Amino acid sequence: MLRWIIFIAIYLALGLYTLQALKTVSRYPWVYYAFILLSLLVLGNFVYQFTVGDDTGRVLNRPKSYAFGLLLTMLTFKLITILFLFSEDIFRMMSGGYQKLFGTAKEFTFPERRRFLSILAMGIAAVPFSALLYGMYKGKYNFKVLKYNLEFDDLPEAFHNYQITQISDVHSGSFDDRKKIEYAIDLINRQKSDVLLFTGDMVNNKADEMHPWTELFSTLEAKDGKFSVLGNHDYGDYIDWATPEEKMKNLEDLKILQRNIGFDLLLNESRYLEKDGAKIALIGVENWGRGGFKKAGDLNMAKSNIAKDDFKILMSHDPSHWEDKVIHDDYHYHLTLSGHTHGMQFGIEIPGWVKWSPVKWRYKYWAGVYEELGQYINVNRGFGFLGYPGRVGIWPEITVITLKKKPMV
């Protein structure tokens, strides 16, 4: 209860400070009242969803996600506005202190300065405010197909131009627009790839989150098969279960569900993809993540039935596994496919110019293709969303990778 009181007090204080800027910018009382009403509604909905209306334990359901998203949007607007006004207040305090200390008659306050800074602050704050709202309304379903050509010296000739579609982090428990998901499934199928690889996090917490979407995802097609691995959310670790047996059953139900969809779920296992008498190894590990995430992945077990000189594609949900274990393994993994980071669902990307997200401070490899020690990894930005119910700048991704035999020089 004390935490809620402190949080509400801080939120209201930020609102009052922002209101002063609004009064400086506008002379119309209805504008102030609209801001106060909107601010209180956002706060009230957030408190309600996470207290009185919360009957789901730690599960972040759709109403709670939107309550969090709206609160984040409002706080971003307030904090950016306050950042400008606070700097002005500091300036005025220092100016007043200077005048009193030295008795100067010089005027350090400017009547229009406050108004100018208020307009500037609210104009700048309106940009992320609008972007976060857009991210919840449109951005979360702004699916992008990203295509890469990767060349290898030792790729079997038969697999030249072999095409892989990768999806990751479906998080079906967050979906709220069937038409958009139907469009995305059709977009995947239109790539007509040879194989479809899903790199984990089918659900947020429970297998039954996928039940409304099972039939739709069953329509995914790839002529050489559909393969999957588990992500950290698939184990049900972020929910309070009545018994360990209930949690275990949930995981088993999810495994069965994936197989019913048509995925060959690799649990520290391997398969061979064959074409015209040649083959490449496909390895799938369970989740292995740095920083408190589940470490069920066993690379040694997964590679036990393949040869060291095979051409290898590894599916591993968390890219920290690649960084910490895979690239230094005695086997050479030509291509690793991961997800997990979501690109934080927020950032700035202009192809060829800039790629930035705050998640880079946690994950060195957080989105796109990287190469280390002659080995590649693609970190998929994710198909779905979690927590903040939207995406800004980092759009939902369908990856298409074409394997190429490097030409002889």
Side-chain angles (χ1 to χ4, degrees), residues 150-155 157 160 371 376 403-409:
L150 300 181
E151 292 187 338
F152 302 90
D153 290 317
D154 54 349
L155 178 71
E157 190 69 43
H160 179 65
E371 183 182 5
Y376 289 99
L403 305 181
K404 299 278 189 178
K405 176 77 172 178
K406 187 175 290 187
M408 299 288 289
V409 178

Side-chain angles (χ1 to χ4, degrees), residues 286-290 294-297 316 318 320-321 324-325:
E286 293 197 50
N287 191 79
W288 191 103
R290 185 201 308 148
K294 181 180 286 293
K295 291 180 171 61
S316 180
D318 192 317
S320 66
H321 184 224
D324 291 356
K325 298 290 184 180

Side-chain angles (χ1 to χ4, degrees), residues 10-62:
I10 293 174
Y11 181 88
L12 294 176
L14 294 176
L16 290 172
Y17 208 106
T18 308
L19 184 61
Q20 300 310 307
L22 199 59
K23 287 183 176 180
T24 304
V25 170
S26 175
R27 296 191 300 269
Y28 300 104
W30 70 266
V31 176
Y32 321 148
Y33 298 139
F35 172 78
I36 293 170
L37 178 61
L38 179 62
S39 185
L40 291 177
L41 285 174
V42 169
L43 175 63
N45 182 50
F46 180 80
V47 173
Y48 173 79
Q49 294 297 341
F50 282 83
T51 55
V52 179
D54 181 16
D55 59 355
T56 59
R58 291 190 293 163
V59 177
L60 194 62
N61 56 20
R62 279 195 289 271

